[in-house]
Structure formats: structure tokens, C-alpha cells
């Protein structure tokens, strides 16, 4: 397949590209970064676009692709959630997806499928209930952002394109994401659960998320919402203990919720509030997880990068 990928330079995209290439696909990455465009490489073609306006190579590329994978968006974690930053987080996702939607509408040749990133933040903060793709949206900034983001993707289905809204969980690998940030304090023996430790963490090894994307590309029966999480979510306390055990370090320094709120402001909600999300649709369609258990997923991340 000819595949257009946005956000391909990020934490998920850089693991996805080699797998797509290995599977025989031709990849065009649209990036805002002109330095990426100028870097010679054989794996994929990198072209420039402005995801806020659609300027650049989007329209011409769309005329010749079979599939679009949209991962673009301002990082959710990292910068304090000022009013301006919250606007960037929400608008970067909505603008990029809306621009894709409008350009697909205008193109003479439509892709067969759009796999559009979303996040389990869609479900909002929950206690212990099992959450599947059938569960309603929750409340709060991230839930509202995901709802708006998905609403632009949903419209693409009106043009006869299969749309998959991939609600991604906490993606695990050591070169970024949540684990990338947690590793150093845990390696120093300063790790521990955040907040009460009771909140659910719906995690997924990055290799499994990449495989879910490939699975969704290849399975026309998969459409609509698709949870990108492992089958066994855990509470924060268990996550911290498992990570400490694998690193052979103690797990004795809990970080109270109020400290995180002072340090991180509203962004601390990403760490302190959780949801127990199950990959019901992937399991119903016989998707096979390489890392269904946290112990094995964390051990693979830590040991392969030791
Ligand atoms: N990683 C996770 O645990 C996780 C969890 C849930 C959901 N997701 C979602 O999955 C998608 C990919 O995640 P990721 O971790 O790979 O993301 P990432 O590394 O933070 O960024 C992905 C790419 O988005 C583009 N980007 C960054 N800021 C942007 C902005 N202001 N406007 C438009 N594009 C921008 C960049 O590509 P260029 O510079 O090349 O344009 C970047 O490489 C994101 O939408 C994210 O919200 C990720």
C-alpha cells in the first residue's frame, strides 16, 4: 500500500515506519520540520506540510495513497498546561484532522482507510469500571479534546473511507513517553507510585501498538473506535512495584498527589487520574498481543535497551 503518515517523526511513528516498510508498504511522511525533509534516507519519503492550514505536499500526496495514518499533535505531557498550551494541544489535533478531512473531501482519489490517533483520555477519569469501545466519553479537558479530535475523523467516513479511531493508552518504551520519564528516578532508587497508587494505568508496549496499527490496516472489518491498550491494565501501585522489581531497585518513595499538583499544575491529572480500558475490539478480532502482561512488557523495554 501507499501510506501517508503524519506525526511520523514522533515516539510512535519512528517505531511504526520500519514495520510498515518491512511489511512492503511505501511510506510518505508529512512533517512540519524542513530539516527532516532535507535528510536523505531510503526508508520513506519525507515531505513538508503545515498541519494548521494544509499548505505543502498534502493535497498532491493524497491523490496517490491507499491509507492515511494521522498521529500529529502537540505533546500532551512536558509543558505546563497554561491556557495557551491547552489550546495548542487541542487545536493542533483538531486542525490537522480537519485539514485532512477537507483535503480528502476535495481529492479525486480517496484513500481506503484513515487510522486516526485518539487517546484513552476520551473516557475521562474513571474508578474501577471496565471500559470498552462502547463506553461513553467522559468529562474534562482531555475527554473534550479527544471528542473534538475524533469528530473531524468521523466526517471522513462520509466520503466512503473506512475510519479507525485508535484510542491509544500509555505507550511503553524507554526512548520516550511515560516510561522514558519514569526510568531515571526508578534507576536511582527514588521511584515510587504517584498519588494514591490506586488509579488504573491502561498501558501498551509500543511494539503491540504498532502491530495493532498494521492489523487495523489489513482488516477491513475493523472500523470506528479501537482501544490501543494491553488486555491487563494495572493500578499505579502495581506498575511502580513491577518496574522497581525489574530494575532491582526499591519502590519506597511515593509522590503524593498534592506535590504533583503543585509541581505540574493541571497536567498532573494525566498521572493522578486513570481509567481501566480493555482492548475489546482487538480481542474480539483475534489480535494477538506480543506483551499481554506488564512484567514481560517492562522487562523487554528495560532489558533490550540496557
Ligand atoms: N505516546 C503515548 O503514550 C500516547 C498516548 C495516547 C495518545 N497518543 C497520541 O498518539 C499520537 C502520536 O503519539 P506520539 O507519542 O508519537 O507523539 P509525539 O512524539 O509527541 O509527536 C508526534 C508528532 O506530532 C507532530 N507535532 C508535534 N507538535 C505538533 C503541533 N503543535 N502541531 C502539529 N503536529 C505536531 C510532530 O511531527 P512533525 O514535527 O514531524 O510534524 C511529532 O513528531 C499523538 O497524537 C498522541 O496524542 C500517544
Amino acid at each position: 500500500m501507499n501510506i501517508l503518515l503524519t506525526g511520523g517523526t514522533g515516539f510512535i511513528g519512528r517505531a511504526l515506519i520500519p514495520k510498515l516498510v518491512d511489511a512492503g508498504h511505501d511510506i510518505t511522511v508529512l512533517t512540519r520540520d524542513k530539516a527532516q525533509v532535507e535528510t536523505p534516507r531510503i526508508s520513506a519519503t519525507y515531505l513538508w506540510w503545515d498541519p494548521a492550514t494544509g499548505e505543502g505536499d498534502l493535497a498532491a500526496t493524497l491523490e496517490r495513497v491507499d491509507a492515511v495514518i494521522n498521529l500529529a499533535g502537540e505533546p500532551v505531557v512536558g509543558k505546563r498546561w497554561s491556557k495557551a498550551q491547552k489550546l495548542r494541544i487541542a487545536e493542533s489535533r483538531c486542525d490537522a484532522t480537519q485539514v485532512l478531512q477537507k483535503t480528502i473531501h476535495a481529492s479525486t482519489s480517496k484513500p481506503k482507510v484513515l487510522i486516526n490517533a485518539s487517546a484513552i483520555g476520551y473516557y475521562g477519569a474513571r474508578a474501577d469500571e471496565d471500559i470498552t469501545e462502547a463506553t461513553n466519553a467522559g468529562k474534562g479537558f482531555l475527554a473534550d479534546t479527544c471528542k473534538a479530535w475524533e469528530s473531524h475523523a468521523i466526517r471522513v467516513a462520509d466520503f466512503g473511507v473506512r475510519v479507525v479511531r485508535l484510542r491509544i493508552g500509555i505507550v511503553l518504551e524507554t526512548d520516550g513517553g511515560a516510561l522514558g520519564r519514569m526510568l531515571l528516578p526508578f534507576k536511582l532508587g527514588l521511584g515510587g507510585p504517584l498519588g494514591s497508587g490506586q488509579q488504573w494505568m491502561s498501558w501498551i508496549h509500543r511494539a503491540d501498538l504498532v502491530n495493532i496499527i498494521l492489523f487495523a490496516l489489513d482488516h477491513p472489518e475493523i472500523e470506528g473506535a479501537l482501544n490501543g491498550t494491553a488486555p491487563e491494565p494495572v493500578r499505579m501501585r502495581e506498575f511502580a512495584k513491577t518496574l522497581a522489581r525489574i530494575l532491582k531497585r526499591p519502590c519506597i518513595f511515593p509522590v503524593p498527589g498534592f506535590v504533583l499538583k503543585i509541581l505540574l499544575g493541571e497536567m498532573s491529572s494525566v498521572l493522578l487520574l486513570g481509567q481501566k480500558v480493555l482492548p475489546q475490539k482487538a480481542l474480539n478480532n483475534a489480535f494477538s498481543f506480543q506483551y499481554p502482561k506488564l512484567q514481560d512488557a517492562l522487562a523487554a523495554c528495560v532489558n533490550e535497551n540496557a
Side-chain angles (χ1 to χ4, degrees):
M1 273 192 252
N2 284 323
I3 299 176
L4 185 163
L5 173 61
T6 75
T9 58
F11 174 59
I12 295 170
R14 59 180 179 260
L16 176 62
I17 291 170
K19 290 296 291 239
L20 290 171
V21 171
D22 282 354
H25 301 300
D26 283 326
I27 314 303
T28 303
V29 177
L30 289 185
T31 174
R32 300 162 308 155
D33 182 353
K34 291 198 167 142
Q36 295 275 354
V37 175
E38 281 151 21
T39 306
R41 43 185 127 212
I42 45 169
S43 59
T45 305
Y46 284 66
L47 299 174
W48 179 82
W49 78 320
D50 178 347
T53 62
E55 279 173 82
D57 290 303
L58 172 64
T61 309
L62 265 176
E63 292 292 346
R64 55 172 180 77
V65 296
D66 309 293
V68 177
I69 303 172
N70 177 26
L71 302 177
E74 171 81 12
V76 170
V77 179
K79 292 187 186 150
R80 219 178 156 84
W81 281 4
S82 63
K83 217 171 158 184
Q85 182 61 11
K86 281 168 77 171
L87 205 62
R88 266 194 293 276
I89 290 169
E91 283 190 353
S92 61
R93 287 169 172 75
C94 291
D95 288 354
T97 311
Q98 191 175 29
V99 153
L100 277 171
Q101 176 245 315
K102 287 187 171 163
T103 317
I104 290 172
H105 185 208
S107 68
T108 48
S109 159
K110 312 275 186 251
K112 290 184 189 64
V113 56
L114 164 67
I115 299 180
N116 205 77
S118 179
I120 57 171
Y122 177 89
Y123 301 112
R126 306 276 178 146
D128 292 343
E129 75 190 273
D130 287 352
I131 292 173
T132 71
E133 288 87 352
T135 305
N136 289 336
K139 292 191 172 66
F141 167 64
L142 286 181
D144 291 347
T145 298
C146 291
K147 263 187 288 180
W149 189 10
E150 289 193 14
S151 73
H152 295 295
I154 285 169
R155 283 194 208 125
V156 175
D158 295 344
F159 319 137
V161 178
R162 174 167 68 95
V163 175
V164 178
R165 288 169 279 129
L166 183 59
R167 295 183 183 148
I168 302 172
I170 301 163
V171 182
L172 301 183
E173 247 311 344
T174 52
D175 60 328
L179 182 60
R181 286 166 194 275
M182 291 171 85
L183 216 49
L184 183 63
F186 273 81
K187 277 184 174 168
L188 295 172
L190 300 171
L194 308 177
S196 70
Q198 291 300 306
Q199 68 276 36
W200 286 96
M201 290 185 71
S202 298
W203 58 275
I204 184 166
H205 191 292
R206 186 170 63 185
D208 274 331
L209 183 73
V210 163
N211 285 336
I212 286 184
I213 295 174
L214 272 100
F215 190 82
L217 274 177
D218 288 343
H219 286 75
E221 64 277 20
I222 293 188
E223 60 185 324
L226 175 67
N227 289 340
T229 59
E232 294 187 18
V234 298
R235 292 187 191 275
M236 164 64 84
R237 186 179 303 281
E238 189 185 336
F239 187 95
K241 275 191 190 162
T242 309
L243 179 57
R245 193 168 56 241
I246 287 166
L247 292 169
K248 301 187 177 63
R249 296 286 191 280
C251 182
I252 47 179
F253 290 100
V255 185
F258 77 89
V259 174
L260 282 171
K261 280 184 193 153
I262 292 167
L263 288 175
L264 305 177
E266 193 185 346
M267 196 177 77
S268 63
S269 63
V270 176
L271 307 168
L272 296 174
L273 307 174
Q275 54 279 105
K276 188 182 177 199
V277 180
L278 303 176
Q280 198 64 56
K281 201 177 274 185
L283 293 172
N284 288 350
N285 283 278
F287 175 79
S288 171
F289 284 86
Q290 192 179 347
Y291 300 105
K293 299 214 175 285
L294 180 67
Q295 163 83 28
D296 297 335
L298 284 176
C301 291
V302 169
N303 297 332
E304 281 165 20
N305 296 290

